[in-house]
């Protein structure tokens, strides 16, 4: 009789968290502002739809000021620019985007991740979470949505 092997993590390995093809992302450093995101393992880098993007200098470092939106709500953010990344978007166009680091929360997990700023107004989701942001800690179920939960929005 063959032993059944259960899908248990090995020592020092965390259990993979199930998520759907779209999830709510929370910005805990900004009063828990929540935004819908498309999970895209085909994309390396995460992207955030930003408007009113203005770069400026602060303490001899490049910073960026911008707004993000979800439905009728918007949030202003200022962040240091880590650098710039040339991205080929889903339409095949190349663009150079500023890269910032933001703390995000997906379900119960919280971490900082790199994010490029771009205009995604023609796309259904204001945010795209790429595979580098997922850090091999999630299992994506492409036929499901919001497995990590839906935040309480005031």
């Amino acid at each position: 009789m063959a032993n059944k092997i259960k899908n248990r993590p090995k020592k020092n390995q965390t259990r993979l968290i199930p998520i759907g093809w779209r999830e709510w992302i929370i910005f805990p450093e900004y009063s828990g502002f929540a935004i819908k995101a498309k999970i895209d393992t085909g994309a390396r880098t995460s992207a955030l739809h930003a408007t009113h993007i203005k770069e400026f200098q602060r303490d001899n470092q490049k910073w960026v000021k911008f707004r993000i939106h979800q439905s009728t709500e918007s949030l202003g953010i200022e962040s240091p620019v880590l650098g710039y990344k040339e991205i080929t978007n889903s339409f095949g166009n190349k663009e150079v985007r500023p890269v910032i680091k933001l703390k995000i929360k997906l379900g119960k997990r919280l971490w900082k991740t790199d994010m490029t700023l771009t205009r995604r107004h023609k796309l259904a989701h204001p945010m795209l979470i790429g595979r580098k942001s997922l850090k091999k800690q999630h299992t994506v179920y492409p036929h499901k949505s919001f497995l990590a939960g839906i935040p309480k929005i005031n």
Side-chain angles (χ1 to χ4, degrees), residues 61-154:
Q61 185 179 7
K62 283 190 180 184
W63 280 63
V64 66
K65 169 198 278 194
F66 59 95
R67 286 189 207 155
I68 60 174
H69 306 270
Q70 178 62 51
S71 298
T72 60
E73 301 293 316
S74 69
L75 172 69
I77 295 177
E78 290 183 1
S79 178
V81 174
L82 300 177
Y84 297 87
K85 189 163 186 111
E86 185 177 73
I87 302 287
T88 302
N89 66 22
S90 57
F91 303 109
N93 301 321
K94 289 186 179 191
E95 66 177 318
V96 177
R97 301 177 185 172
V99 179
I100 63 168
K101 189 172 286 286
L102 285 176
K103 186 179 276 187
I104 63 172
K105 183 178 181 190
L106 173 55
K108 294 179 182 174
R109 198 162 275 169
L110 182 76
W111 70 98
K112 286 191 172 192
T113 191
D114 290 353
M115 188 100 23
T116 65
L117 301 178
T118 187
R119 299 296 300 253
R120 294 180 52 84
H121 61 277
K122 293 181 181 177
L123 301 172
H125 296 86
M127 186 175 196
L128 181 136
I129 299 292
R131 65 181 174 267
K132 282 177 122 180
S133 290
L134 296 174
K135 299 184 177 194
K136 298 182 182 180
Q137 296 180 2
H138 300 85
T139 299
V140 180
Y141 290 88
H143 59 289
K144 304 224 177 192
S145 297
F146 310 119
L147 294 178
I150 298 173
K152 292 180 180 137
I153 300 172
N154 298 338

